């Protein structure tokens, strides 16, 4: 007996009990739907995360004052302060570092005379734009001359620009921050959100020297922002910077670091860990419903075998072998589980599209997830259908024929 | 050479640890083309013997030679093959698949014989026409009378051109007129060369046979030739 004949017999048997068949495949349907949705959402979220990380800059490292323990109390950011000279030292002494810039920021209110807007004021030097892979949409960047002269110029992010100038062209106009008048020389290109939900376009950039001396009034910078020569060199850059700073801070070998070097990759890992928790959760929902679905199929197939004992006897009496009966029931459960799988794929894809629309990322329904879902449901059909099919094939023809 | 030879066939059933001897040493030869009939009281072992001859079951001991080959200890697959090709079975309660049409029921042995679909339908149609049901191909068993159902069953039993047709009380569920029709059909098939083995309680039915064996307590009590 060939496969098509088996399939026809199986489909006839299923179509005799449509409602029951549908209820049976519900578990598989939900399970496969969850797998598809989970993978699509996971891939979409990952793609978005990657795009956001690229917007922050590549191969980045942040250096901050570390925690020190004073009187048994650990104080974050209370370690040794950083100065512009540290940036210079890192540039000169760390071969694995491509670019280094001071990192100094302050939240202040900017005014244009008729509008006020509280925003992030970022102190920059030309390396900053390279590290962050950022350029202007109009106007010019902040130059070395601006930095060395402490020029009263600024670049404006697009969110801050909208709130301060509306639709007006801001270039050449004056923005006042703490009574310091700054001339807008450029509009920053749009960046979007960081993976942490911060609007990167809500900022005003000034030469870091201007920010230190004129706006904040401090001799030190908040920290350093550095890019490694390649992603492979990030650990090396980290080691070089640590060694250099320990030396500059005169730390004895037994003393812990009084600074922190954090790579962007560690943020990525954090973020990815959070996503994978969600994935794991969805995955277990999928797994459990697939398991329950499989048990449902097994249950219904056992009922079906009992109901059709006489039919099995008749088939055996006219020459069906054990193998024929086994195949008949196995294909029936396979047909059920694959039907559930296909419906689940449709449902899961629909759910993924809806969720992605809401969350605002691209749906990524990969062929591999379709193949995975398909093999999974087929596997479940075979695994959970095998025992009932085996039971059917082991029936004694005489007993089966006598069954009422 | 006889078509069927049974040597000291015994069959025991085991019920809650108690051994029930259903057949206690059957010796029998049936030749090609015979119309053989078994009679006997209820529980005398007729059905048990039929099940063994039709390869539905295996004897506890003894030898069963079918067409010169010992089939008494063949495996289940080989027995299924014999039921498919060599032996056709007809039952008292017809045993048709209720969810299948007359045509599909008759196709069944061809299906398990690996015959392609087109040929299957053609052969099954021919057989149904032969038993006078050419106009009932797509009827379901519930849409057919008892006599018609038994004719579908006979068509199914014959569709693979078996050597032997075995019928365990084929007229048990039919009225006397229909019984006569069915028996006439079996007689005609026998005349055309088919070996027929029959179990019955009714002397009227046994009349059609030239060789009647009477069974009692799992043994052959006597044999009558006409
Ligand atoms: N599966 C079984 N388990 C136990 N005992 C059985 C089984 N099948 C048959 N028997 C016993 O074997 C004996 C022969 O039974 P069998 O069915 O062959 O009788 P029979 O001659 O066909 O009777 P009837 O005319 O009523 O059909 C009986 O005593 C019966 O109880
Ligand atoms: Mg009987």
């Amino acid at each position: 007996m060939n496969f098509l004949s088996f399939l026809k017999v199986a489909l006839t048997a299923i179509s005799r009990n449509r409602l029951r068949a549908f209820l049976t495949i519900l578990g598989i349907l939900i399970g496969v739907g969850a797998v598809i949705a989970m993978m699509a959402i996971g891939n979409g979220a990952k793609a978005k995360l990657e795009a956001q990380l690229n917007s922050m800059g590549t191969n980045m490292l942040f250096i901050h004052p570390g925690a020190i323990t004073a009187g048994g109390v650990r104080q974050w950011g209370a370690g040794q302060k950083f100065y512009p000279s540290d940036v210079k030292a890192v540039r000169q002494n760390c071969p694995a570092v491509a670019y280094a810039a001071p990192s100094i920021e302050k939240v202040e209110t900017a005014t244009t005379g008729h509008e006020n807007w509280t925003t992030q004021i970022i102190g920059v030097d030309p390396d900053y734009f390279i590290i962050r892979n950022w350029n202007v949409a109009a106007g010019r960047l902040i130059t070395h001359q601006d930095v060395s002269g402490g020029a009263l110029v600024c670049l404006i992010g697009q969110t801050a620009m909208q709130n301060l100038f509306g639709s007006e062209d801001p270039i050449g106009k004056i923005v006042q921050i703490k009574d310091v008048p700054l001339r807008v020389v450029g509009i920053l290109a749009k960046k979007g959100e960081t993976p942490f939900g911060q609007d990167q376009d809500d900022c005003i950039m000034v030469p870091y020297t201007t920010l230190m001396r004129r706006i904040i009034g401090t001799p030190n910078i908040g920290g350093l922002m550095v890019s490694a020569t390649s992603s492979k060199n990030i650990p090396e850059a980290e080691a070089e910077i640590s060694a250099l700073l320990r030396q500059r801070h005169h730390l004895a070998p037994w003393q812990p670091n009084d600074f922190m070097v954090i790579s962007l990759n560690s943020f990525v890992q954090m973020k990815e860990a959070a996503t994978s928790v969600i994935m794991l959760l969805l995955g277990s929902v999928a797994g459990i419903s697939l398991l329950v679905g499989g048990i449902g199929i097994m249950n219904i197939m056992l009922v079906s075998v009992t109901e059709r004992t006489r039919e099995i006897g008749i088939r055996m009496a006219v020459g069906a072998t054990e193998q024929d009966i086994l195949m008949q029931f196995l294909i029936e459960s396979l047909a059920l589980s694959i039907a559930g799988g296909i419906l689940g794929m449709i449902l899961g894809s629909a759910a993924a599209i809806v969720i992605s629309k809401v969350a605002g990322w691209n749906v990524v329904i990969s062929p591999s997830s379709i193949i995975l879902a398909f093999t999974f449901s087929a596997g479940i059909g075979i695994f959970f259908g095998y025992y009932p099919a085996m039971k059917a094939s082991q029936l004694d023809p005489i007993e089966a024929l006598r069954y009422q | 050479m006889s078509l069927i030879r049974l040597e000291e066939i015994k069959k025991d059933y085991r019920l809650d640890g108690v051994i029930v001897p259903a057949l206690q040493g059957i010796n029998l030869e049936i030749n090609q083309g015979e119309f053989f009939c078994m009679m006997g009281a209820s529980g005398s072992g007729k059905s048990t013997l039929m099940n063994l001859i039709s390869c539905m079951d295996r004897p506890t001991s003894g030898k069963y030679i079918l067409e010169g080959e010992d089939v008494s200890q063949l495996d289940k697959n080989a027995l299924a093959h014999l039921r498919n090709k060599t032996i056709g079975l007809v039952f008292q309660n017809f045993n048709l698949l209720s969810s299948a049409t007359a045509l599909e029921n008759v196709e069944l042995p061809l299906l398990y014989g690996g015959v392609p679909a087109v040929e299957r339908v053609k052969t099954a149609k021919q057989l149904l026409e032969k038993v006078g049901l050419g106009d009932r191909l797509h009827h379901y068993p519930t849409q057919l009378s008892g006599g018609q159902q038994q004719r579908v069953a006979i068509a199914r039993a014959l569709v693979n051109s078996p050597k032997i047709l075995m019928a365990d009380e084929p007229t048990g569920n039919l009225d006397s007129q229909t019984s006569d029709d069915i028996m006439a059909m079996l007689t005609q098939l026998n005349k055309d060369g088919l070996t027929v083995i029959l179990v019955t309680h009714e002397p009227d039915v046994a009349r059609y046979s030239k060789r009647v064996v009477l069974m009692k307590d799992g043994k052959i009590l006597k044999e009558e030739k006409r």
Side-chain angles (χ1 to χ4, degrees), chain A residues 89-365:
Chain A
V90 166
R91 274 182 193 145
Q92 282 168 357
N93 300 307
C94 301
V97 169
Y99 298 96
S103 165
I104 177 168
E105 297 183 354
K106 183 124 205 304
V107 175
E108 282 295 346
T109 303
T111 57
T112 57
H114 41 91
E115 292 290 349
N116 291 328
W117 182 247
T118 303
T119 185
Q120 193 81 14
I121 315 299
I122 305 173
V124 299
D125 80 350
D127 272 13
Y128 180 92
F129 301 103
I130 303 168
I131 296 168
R132 299 225 41 203
N133 187 26
W134 209 341
N135 211 331
V136 283
R140 65 165 179 86
L141 286 172
I142 285 169
T143 62
H144 286 292
Q145 283 101 307
D146 293 334
V147 172
S148 55
L152 300 181
V153 294
C154 72
L155 303 177
I156 190 158
Q158 301 210 354
T159 304
M161 175 180 82
Q162 240 155 50
N163 286 288
L164 286 168
F165 293 98
S167 54
E168 263 178 84
D169 181 9
I171 292 182
K173 302 238 162 61
I174 299 295
V175 176
Q176 291 223 358
I177 298 170
K178 276 187 124 184
D179 295 330
V180 181
L182 301 159
R183 194 160 44 81
V184 179
V185 294
I187 303 168
L188 288 161
K190 210 166 172 60
K191 268 277 187 194
E193 279 186 5
T194 65
F196 316 104
Q198 193 189 351
D199 180 6
Q200 299 178 88
D201 298 313
D202 188 5
C203 69
I204 291 175
M205 290 184 186
V206 299
Y208 75 92
T209 45
T210 312
L211 183 62
M212 281 165 67
R213 294 174 207 153
R214 304 294 298 267
I215 300 173
I216 306 177
T218 172
N220 60 283
I221 54 177
L224 275 71
M225 188 182 280
V226 155
S227 72
T229 45
S230 73
S231 66
K232 197 169 89 258
N233 281 343
I234 291 174
E236 211 169 314
E238 208 171 324
E240 287 171 4
I241 293 164
S242 292
L244 178 73
L245 291 177
R246 285 184 69 82
Q247 186 198 331
R248 285 174 71 79
H249 294 176
H250 309 292
L251 293 176
W254 64 88
Q255 282 177 299
N257 285 352
D258 59 359
F259 54 87
M260 292 186 293
V261 183
I262 302 161
S263 72
L264 194 54
N265 291 29
S266 61
F267 284 122
V268 176
Q269 276 154 17
M270 247 164 58
K271 190 80 181 178
E272 275 178 353
T275 346
S276 65
V277 166
I278 296 167
M279 296 280 275
L280 198 73
L281 221 70
L282 269 168
S284 6
V285 168
I288 288 167
S289 46
L290 283 176
L291 183 72
V292 171
I295 293 169
I297 285 189
M298 182 150 152
N299 184 31
I300 276 310
M301 289 309 295
L302 282 171
V303 169
S304 176
V305 167
T306 307
E307 278 177 354
R308 285 150 69 190
T309 300
R310 212 177 150 74
E311 174 192 325
I312 295 164
I314 293 170
R315 289 179 184 276
M316 286 176 159
V318 301
T321 60
E322 273 177 50
Q323 177 104 354
D324 288 330
I325 301 295
L326 184 84
M327 286 302 280
Q328 177 188 332
F329 282 91
L330 213 48
I331 287 174
E332 192 172 321
S333 71
L334 201 60
L336 279 175
S337 67
I338 288 178
I342 290 171
L343 289 179
M345 277 177 219
I346 295 169
L347 192 82
S349 306
I353 289 167
V354 170
I355 293 170
S356 307
K357 277 259 162 61
V358 172
W361 59 61
N362 288 334
V363 211
V364 188
I365 297 168

Side-chain angles (χ1 to χ4, degrees), chain A residues 1 310 315-316 318 322, chain B residues 76 83-84 93 95 112:
Chain A
M1 195 167 163
R310 212 177 150 74
R315 289 179 184 276
M316 286 176 159
V318 301
E322 273 177 50
Chain B
K76 287 186 189 172
R83 293 197 295 272
N84 187 247
N93 56 2
N95 273 337
Y112 291 113

